[in-house]
Amino acid sequence: MKKLIGFLAVLMLMVSGCGKEKTSNENTIKTKVNGGELVVRISQDMDFLDPHKALAAGTYEVMFNVFEGLLKPTHEGKLIPAVAESFKISKDNLVYTFKLRDGIKFHNGKDVEIEDIIFSLTRIGGDFSGNSIVRDLAKNIKNIKKIDDKTVAIELKKVDGTILSKFTTAIIPRDVVDIEQSPIGTGPFKFIEYLPGQKLLMEKFSDYWIGGVPTIDKVEFSIIKDEQSSILSLQRGEIDLYPRMGSTHISILENTNNIIVTEQNLMQILSLNNKVKPFDDLRVRQAIAYAIDSEEIIDTLDAGLGKAIGTNMSPVMKNYYNIETEGTYPHNIEKAKKLLKEAGYENGFEFTLSLPTNYRFHADTGVIISEQLKKVGIKANLVEVEWGTWLKDIYAGRKYEGTIIALDGKIEPYDILNRYISNHRRNFMNYESKEYDTVMKKITQITDEKTKTELYKEAQMILAQDIPVVFIMAPAGIIATDKDLRGYTPYPIYVQDISTLYFVK
Amino acid sequence: MIYFIKRISIMIFTLFLVSVISFSVFQIIPGDPALSKLGIEASQEQIDTLRTELMLDKPLSTQYIYWAKNILKGNLGESIRFSRPIKELIRERIVVTLSLGIYAILIAVVIGIPIGILSAKYNDTKLGAWLSIFSHLGLAIPEFWLGIIFLIIFGIIFKLFSLKYISFGEDPISHIKIITLPAFALAISRISVVARHMKNIILEEQEKEYVITAYSKGLSANKIYLYHILQNALIPTITIIGMLTAGVLGGAIVVEQVFNLPGIGTLLINGVTTRDIPLVQAIITYIASVVVIINFLIDILYRVVDPRILI
């Protein structure tokens, strides 16, 4: 028995020393390889392969490589023509005319025709239960007119300054009966096979409209729920790309893999239910904001890499981000106590903080926040909630006092900020502000980019001061890749662009 | 004949109870299958449409009767989460669980029986005491912990083990390599079970009169073991293997999760977390049927082997 314990102890020591392996000589010049097979770790399974139905960010992240819309988002957060070659907007901002790109093909080898565009945009109308982007577009289309074999004009019911980003809606072939079973698009990779809960396979589309793209031959998106197993596979070289990895693993992988640190379009928040006492009192919310020290959370949980934020926008949205919202409520225990006293809670109060169990990061944040709030006399009772329950009771049912979650950003700032509109169905914080609603309404009625940006900044400032929820941080995006993988391009949205990647040797 | 009818009716009643209980459990735990599938971006209309499609708005009894009718017709229904026939999903994954289970049972038998014989033979010696300690230890170690330890030792330190699943069709050798560790993690406690049963049976047999007679005839101990005791001991051992099956199925659920194998176990856990009622129902009923049928066969086998048993 003693011997056995000794053996195990030796093993443990060996384990702790296993991260320090010698890496290959860095100084050798490596050359680009054409082709190759890539394995990407993803944690979520697909919901629908039908691009008009898919709601999960995790599905879009993968299928971004298969489907394209008339327009397509770039890594700079701009929109560029994809299936369309160019487009014109009429003076009254009601008619959008798209010209079809010459020689663009679907994965089944057929040329894309105007009829396919008309089919795709007609399909989403009526009672089609599509995702939010698709629905917003469908709701506003008055009619679609074929001008000639290369041109189509789309007339809107009303002016919408945010409509352009909705034209990223996937264009699919009109003759494919079941797009769910055979997802055919125009993207750089074509779909081969999907095994639910296991993996999704794609291969290079050699007729892609951008010449010489992509480089990689085959991609496997491997669904591995368990983080530890994923790290192990990465160390063993069975995974080449691990997006959105927890920062705690950096030290283990530093020597064996490339680590890329980027900003993410993600806002971690402490959501407070504004309809529940005492959170309906602005002074209480302000007190909590003063009591919370974001920097401590960032240093402890995100290796000091995340960015503290003061509003519901990530700094990654460079053109729209209102930097003046930062530090609206700097960490200040005295001010917090003073505000609590004014609000009539001199001795603090108790509330239930619900934490989703499937996100360790948020659960850990909850623990730190509860410690920070103790210093001003507020007692947060931590309750762990399983994800299915979180969705039903907290997000949909709004039956909660406080919770911690991260909201993911979109390419269109409006879609990030609209959650806080009083009657919005995703407004699970129950925030109500006439001033905010007015600014957001104005945004939809204008198309001038400059004025819109000003209004976005104004909306962010209202949130920063009103503090319906406490904005904690924009967590850093950490990507671990194989030592020989190059060309990773981070996006301000939840996608993995495989077309820019290549191996070196 | 009456015995058979009694057994079969007990079996059917058990399955009915299992299906009712698993159906009811979902009513008790919070969560909504439609919401779990559509996620946080879905609109109320979408959720309502899906709920209607899935008959979630109908009374519970209606849902159950509809489901049971389909099951009796051999139709397992469609998974909510994957929008695919459950039959297909099970067919894709049952191979993994079966190969893992059979492998584990093989290991348990091949290693367990000799250990059992040895510990019976050397019952009162130091070796016997050691064997007994190890078999207790084997029983006490939970599969998931063993799995994790195996991963650390063979996966990280010695790099002998891959976590990337390869199906039998793709590459049989790699497939067997991959399921070796999980099979061992699953088998360790079963080795102890087999060994202990084997030991007890042999010790019992040793006391019997025919053994004493054989000794008095001057046969060597080894011969007596080989020709008399072991032959008589093998029959109860067969039933032990039957009993192991249920445990192995349960253990496989945990082990698959640890080793990330795409088997029935991971599918079941996936189904529970996404509140995929039809999927979980189908799998639980499926596993329960297998266990109940095996138990039924064991009872019958006992009866055939030893007509004195009256249950």
Side-chain angles (χ1 to χ4, degrees):
Chain A
M1 199 65 208
K2 259 188 190 163
K3 269 186 186 162
L4 182 76
I5 292 170
F7 174 69
L8 281 178
V10 169
L11 278 183
M12 287 298 164
L13 288 173
M14 286 166 72
V15 173
S16 53
C18 75
K20 298 177 178 53
E21 282 172 284
K22 282 205 167 66
T23 47
S24 62
N25 190 351
E26 291 293 310
N27 302 333
T28 48
I29 301 286
K30 294 182 169 181
T31 52
K32 180 174 175 176
V33 180
N34 254 325
E37 295 188 10
L38 175 80
V39 182
V40 187
R41 182 258 179 171
I42 49 172
S43 58
Q44 288 172 308
D45 207 333
M46 312 288 119
D47 56 348
F48 296 98
L49 297 183
D50 180 334
H52 298 152
K53 282 189 175 172
L55 301 143
T59 304
Y60 184 67
E61 166 182 50
V62 171
M63 299 311 272
F64 173 80
N65 297 288
V66 174
F67 293 110
E68 289 174 328
L70 289 165
L71 307 176
K72 181 179 182 158
T74 68
H75 66 275
E76 291 158 327
K78 295 198 175 82
L79 291 162
I80 52 160
V83 173
E85 197 163 68
S86 60
F87 64 96
K88 283 205 303 276
I89 308 174
S90 65
K91 280 219 164 53
D92 61 2
N93 289 312
L94 282 170
V95 184
Y96 286 67
T97 310
F98 291 93
K99 195 164 175 298
L100 176 66
R101 182 177 295 280
D102 260 329
I104 183 167
K105 281 182 168 21
F106 282 118
H107 298 150
N108 58 6
K110 291 190 173 154
D111 287 329
V112 182
E113 291 167 340
I114 284 290
E115 283 75 14
D116 296 308
I117 297 175
I118 295 171
F119 165 80
S120 302
L121 299 182
T122 315
R123 174 180 191 244
I124 57 179
D127 58 356
F128 184 85
S129 70
N131 54 42
S132 60
I133 288 190
V134 163
R135 270 204 324 273
D136 287 350
L137 178 62
K139 266 201 299 237
N140 200 4
I141 292 182
K142 191 170 169 183
N143 89 59
I144 306 169
K145 204 164 102 197
K146 178 178 170 178
I147 309 271
D148 57 43
D149 279 348
K150 283 280 166 209
T151 332
V152 63
I154 295 153
E155 195 185 341
L156 303 180
K157 289 175 188 162
K158 60 180 200 317
V159 172
D160 178 359
T162 70
I163 199 84
L164 218 44
S165 65
K166 313 295 189 274
F167 284 115
T168 53
T169 294
I171 300 300
I172 56 175
R174 63 186 188 277
D175 52 359
V176 170
V177 181
D178 191 353
I179 197 83
E180 183 68 44
Q181 292 301 321
S182 41
I184 293 174
T186 59
F189 286 92
K190 65 179 181 207
F191 168 89
I192 307 176
E193 184 188 26
Y194 164 55
L195 293 168
Q198 296 180 53
K199 59 186 169 191
L200 191 143
L201 300 170
M202 296 177 190
E203 67 184 1
K204 176 180 179 163
F205 178 44
S206 35
D207 285 335
Y208 187 54
W209 57 270
I210 301 178
V213 174
T215 309
I216 303 252
D217 280 337
K218 260 195 164 162
V219 193
E220 175 188 322
F221 287 91
S222 182
I223 302 158
I224 309 175
K225 288 211 161 33
D226 184 65
E227 208 169 321
Q228 285 304 336
S229 313
S230 312
I231 296 291
L232 197 66
S233 295
L234 189 68
Q235 286 175 302
R236 297 180 43 87
E238 287 155 0
I239 295 177
D240 308 302
L241 178 63
Y242 185 153
R244 281 187 311 282
M245 186 183 77
S247 52
T248 39
H249 303 294
I250 294 179
S251 55
I252 313 171
L253 299 168
E254 260 173 338
N255 300 321
T256 49
N257 300 80
N258 289 341
I259 306 283
I260 302 163
V261 179
T262 61
E263 289 183 311
Q264 268 190 110
N265 196 350
L266 196 70
M267 293 73 66
Q268 189 194 28
I269 60 164
L270 160 64
S271 181
L272 303 166
N273 191 338
N274 286 216
K275 279 225 167 79
V276 172
K277 272 194 176 335
F279 304 129
D280 53 350
D281 187 330
L282 173 65
R283 288 166 302 186
V284 173
R285 297 199 303 269
Q286 287 173 325
I288 293 177
Y290 276 126
I292 288 175
D293 179 2
S294 297
E295 291 303 335
E296 188 189 9
I297 301 171
I298 292 167
D299 289 342
T300 315
L301 297 179
D302 208 17
L305 300 166
K307 278 204 70 167
I309 48 172
T311 187
N312 200 72
M313 186 73 68
S314 157
V316 87
M317 298 290 285
K318 289 184 183 63
N319 302 337
Y320 304 101
Y321 179 64
N322 185 346
I323 198 157
E324 284 160 25
T325 57
E326 285 179 21
T328 310
Y329 297 105
H331 181 55
N332 188 329
I333 302 262
E334 291 317 306
K335 273 190 179 164
K337 282 183 174 164
K338 194 167 143 258
L339 281 159
L340 281 175
K341 193 174 168 180
E342 278 173 29
Y345 294 98
E346 195 173 356
N347 303 321
F349 59 89
E350 271 190 52
F351 77 103
T352 304
L353 182 53
S354 313
L355 305 167
T357 48
N358 60 329
Y359 293 112
R360 203 64 262 158
F361 190 73
H362 301 324
D364 292 345
T365 305
V367 175
I368 298 175
I369 282 183
S370 76
E371 287 302 316
Q372 292 177 348
L373 292 177
K374 263 185 204 162
K375 292 176 186 155
V376 295
I378 300 172
K379 187 164 179 277
N381 300 312
L382 305 179
V383 179
E384 294 219 325
V385 197
E386 197 250 354
W387 185 240
T389 314
W390 192 93
L391 280 175
K392 186 167 195 280
D393 292 352
I394 295 177
Y395 194 82
R398 303 186 188 180
K399 289 193 285 283
Y400 74 104
E401 291 176 340
T403 187
I404 295 173
I405 195 73
L407 306 170
D408 64 329
K410 313 273 188 296
I411 197 126
E412 177 67 56
Y414 184 82
D415 296 336
I416 302 174
L417 295 166
N418 62 1
R419 174 187 300 280
Y420 294 89
I421 296 170
S422 300
N423 58 2
H424 199 278
R425 58 185 174 76
R426 288 189 291 135
N427 181 353
F428 69 108
M429 43 290 289
N430 282 323
Y431 173 62
E432 273 185 34
S433 156
K434 284 203 171 60
E435 188 193 0
Y436 187 80
D437 296 355
T438 315
V439 173
M440 290 300 281
K441 200 174 169 78
K442 244 190 242 167
I443 288 172
T444 59
Q445 293 161 338
I446 49 169
T447 47
D448 176 50
E449 212 38 49
K450 218 173 144 185
T451 324
K452 255 199 325 193
T453 308
E454 287 309 310
L455 288 168
Y456 280 133
K457 288 190 172 170
E458 195 182 323
Q460 287 171 60
M461 196 42 118
I462 297 170
L463 290 181
Q465 285 164 346
D466 247 353
I467 203 104
V469 305
V470 180
F471 305 101
I472 305 169
M473 66 164 118
I478 293 147
I479 300 106
T481 75
D482 183 280
K483 267 264 185 270
D484 292 336
L485 189 69
R486 301 277 189 279
Y488 185 83
T489 317
Y491 271 68
I493 42 172
Y494 207 89
V495 298
Q496 298 305 326
D497 186 353
I498 307 298
S499 70
T500 61
L501 290 166
Y502 60 93
F503 283 105
V504 291
K505 159 167 95 172
Chain B
M1 203 57 220
I2 290 176
Y3 171 75
F4 277 94
I5 292 169
K6 196 171 134 190
R7 287 276 112 207
I8 288 177
S9 44
I10 288 177
M11 188 167 95
I12 291 169
F13 185 67
T14 311
L15 284 179
F16 168 73
L17 270 187
V18 166
S19 71
V20 170
I21 291 168
S22 58
F23 207 83
S24 317
V25 163
F26 269 110
Q27 309 310 319
I28 299 163
I29 53 172
D32 174 359
L35 198 58
S36 291
K37 177 180 174 95
L38 300 177
I40 54 183
E41 296 294 326
S43 69
Q44 199 50 50
E45 310 122 57
Q46 282 172 306
I47 291 166
D48 291 343
T49 315
L50 188 62
R51 286 181 64 85
T52 317
E53 252 174 60
L54 302 170
M55 297 181 54
L56 292 169
D57 51 350
K58 300 264 189 310
L60 212 52
S61 52
T62 319
Q63 284 182 49
Y64 180 80
I65 290 165
Y66 175 80
W67 174 81
K69 262 188 191 161
N70 275 327
I71 286 280
L72 293 174
K73 285 185 214 152
N75 174 9
L76 295 179
E78 201 177 68
S79 150
I80 297 176
R81 177 66 186 76
F82 297 120
S83 321
R84 287 181 51 188
I86 292 170
K87 249 193 190 140
E88 263 178 45
L89 289 168
I90 290 185
R91 200 181 313 127
E92 272 168 21
R93 289 162 170 262
I94 193 77
V95 182
V96 182
T97 307
L98 277 183
S99 58
L100 181 64
I102 292 168
Y103 199 168
I105 290 174
L106 273 178
I107 296 170
V109 170
V110 168
I111 300 178
I113 288 183
I115 290 181
I117 296 169
L118 282 178
S119 41
K121 210 172 163 181
Y122 300 103
N123 191 21
D124 298 328
T125 62
K126 223 175 178 174
L127 175 69
W130 272 111
L131 286 171
S132 169
I133 287 173
F134 273 115
S135 94
H136 276 282
L137 200 65
L139 271 183
I141 297 175
E143 291 123 353
F144 73 90
W145 185 81
L146 209 59
I148 294 167
I149 293 297
F150 279 1
L151 276 181
I152 293 173
I153 298 174
F154 299 104
I156 301 183
I157 302 176
F158 296 120
K159 299 223 187 307
L160 294 170
F161 175 76
S162 156
L163 265 176
K164 196 162 158 26
Y165 177 76
I166 295 164
S167 71
F168 192 83
E170 278 174 79
D171 182 357
I173 305 286
S174 302
H175 175 78
I176 288 169
K177 258 193 194 159
I178 282 166
I179 63 167
T180 297
L181 268 194
F184 264 97
L186 194 53
I188 297 277
S189 63
R190 273 95 205 167
I191 291 176
S192 303
V193 173
V194 173
R196 291 172 61 150
H197 269 277
M198 198 69 207
K199 177 183 165 182
N200 292 340
I201 293 162
I202 290 174
L203 288 179
E204 244 175 72
E205 287 293 322
Q206 275 178 346
E207 305 301 314
K208 291 201 172 146
E209 289 182 8
Y210 75 89
V211 178
I212 300 167
T213 313
Y215 271 114
S216 64
K217 279 197 298 193
L219 286 173
S220 72
N222 281 345
K223 269 197 172 153
I224 293 174
Y225 260 92
L226 214 59
Y227 293 111
H228 295 276
I229 298 182
L230 285 187
Q231 278 191 359
N232 282 323
L234 273 182
I235 296 163
T237 312
I238 292 168
T239 57
I240 295 169
I241 294 168
M243 277 163 24
L244 283 181
T245 317
V248 163
L249 271 177
I253 294 173
V254 178
V255 170
E256 280 172 17
Q257 202 63 19
V258 172
F259 287 89
N260 196 34
L261 296 171
I264 292 288
T266 34
L267 188 65
L268 176 67
I269 290 176
N270 212 321
V272 173
T273 49
T274 55
R275 302 288 187 273
D276 195 336
I277 302 174
L279 182 64
V280 174
Q281 279 286 83
I283 294 176
I284 289 179
T285 310
Y286 194 85
I287 291 176
S289 311
V290 171
V291 172
V292 168
I293 288 167
I294 285 172
N295 280 338
F296 171 77
L297 290 176
I298 290 172
D299 285 345
I300 303 296
L301 200 65
Y302 253 107
R303 174 93 176 190
V304 170
V305 172
D306 193 346
R308 287 170 305 177
I309 298 169
L310 288 173
I311 304 169

